[in-house]
Amino acid sequence: MRLRRWLTGLVVVVAVGFAAFWILTEPRPLAASVVPTTPGDATRGELVFWAGGCVSCHLSPDAKASDAKPMLGGGKALTSKFGTFFPPNISPDKDTGIGNWTMLDFLNAMKRGIGPGGTHLYPSFPYTSYQRMPIADLVDLKAFLDTLPPVHAENKPDRLPFPLNIRRGLGLWKFLFLDGREFAADATKSAEVNRGAYLVNGPGHCNECHTPRTLFGLGGLDMTHALGGAPNLSGRGRAPNLTPGTGGIGDKSADDLLFDLEMGQDFNGVMLEVQQNLAHLPESDLAAIVAYLKQVAPVNGPPRRQRPN
């Protein structure tokens, strides 16, 4: 009798636990009513595209980032301590890209990390930052993406260890770290600083690399040390401190930082690719990024590494 009661209790606990897991991990898409009735502006969308650095991850291996109409058939593998991710084809190809995606599909991917069919997307796609973007900017971005050349290239499956390969489990990660809030301007700051804040924290997704993570690197962004530098997610090197604190950008003038963003004089590697994207933005946007970074809360860290002459 005792054994039967114990087994019955165990079954109940397991059933309740599974039900809770299933409810908490359920994808939560946007309502169809959020899709505007007016079409997007591809010209504006192009600026959003370059601010977001889409080329850096999604450019086809045999294409050139300098092309006026880049081919986004899927980029090079992103190797991290969590596994290997393959940036997908986001060209307008109807068979292998996003040519058959509805606008709602696109908005759900960008703001909720949900792919067509309701599957969770891995946060190697930085929707935790893209969620900050207003619907209008995303509609414009989709309008521009639709003007790019279609690339027929099958997506490669990510290579992840168990249990990270169970996509349903991402619902728990989102429950903890995806808040769904859009960027809101700070009324105490200038329009220029607010514009920079949006570009850095939204489409530019700078925090994804330059802000450390909580819970032993498996959690969300530790915004108490925002932009203060973080271990490279690949496990090699470190993303630098972008704050005015020790080891950050405090020793550089606003003019020098603006020159760096325009010309890439002080960048190499991944940051050079980022700069090459940002260089397509108007000078006013680059100046806004600098103005924002110069006034963020300083985070002190090790001295910046200097490039060899």
Side-chain angles (χ1 to χ4, degrees), residues 177-255:
F177 302 119
L178 191 68
D179 58 38
R181 292 198 296 265
E182 287 189 3
F183 172 78
D186 184 340
T188 67
K189 305 292 185 181
S190 68
E192 181 182 49
V193 168
N194 275 305
R195 175 62 176 168
Y198 169 65
L199 291 170
V200 167
N201 296 299
H205 60 278
C206 304
N207 284 295
E208 304 292 340
C209 286
H210 294 274
T211 296
R213 295 181 180 270
T214 61
L215 296 180
F216 309 105
L218 291 176
L221 297 168
D222 177 11
M223 297 306 290
T224 62
H225 295 85
L227 301 174
N232 192 309
L233 293 176
S234 70
R236 300 186 302 273
R238 186 176 180 84
N241 184 343
L242 299 183
T243 78
T246 302
I249 60 171
D251 60 340
K252 303 201 73 168
S253 70
D255 286 342

Side-chain angles (χ1 to χ4, degrees), residues 30 111 129-136 138 179-185 198:
L30 297 165
K111 293 184 76 69
S129 291
Y130 294 155
Q131 66 176 330
R132 309 295 178 214
M133 300 170 67
I135 296 289
L138 294 173
D179 58 38
R181 292 198 296 265
E182 287 189 3
F183 172 78
Y198 169 65

Side-chain angles (χ1 to χ4, degrees), residues 9-79:
L10 178 62
V11 169
V12 170
V13 168
V14 170
V16 170
F18 181 80
F21 171 81
W22 200 254
I23 292 170
L24 290 175
T25 58
E26 182 72 20
R28 292 171 173 78
L30 297 165
S33 59
V34 304
V35 179
T37 56
T38 55
D41 182 335
T43 300
R44 287 193 70 253
E46 183 175 5
L47 292 179
V48 179
F49 173 83
W50 292 115
C54 309
V55 165
S56 295
C57 283
H58 297 277
L59 185 70
S60 300
D62 55 350
K64 295 180 180 179
S66 58
D67 291 340
K69 296 289 185 178
M71 300 175 68
L72 304 180
K76 299 176 182 177
L78 301 175
T79 303

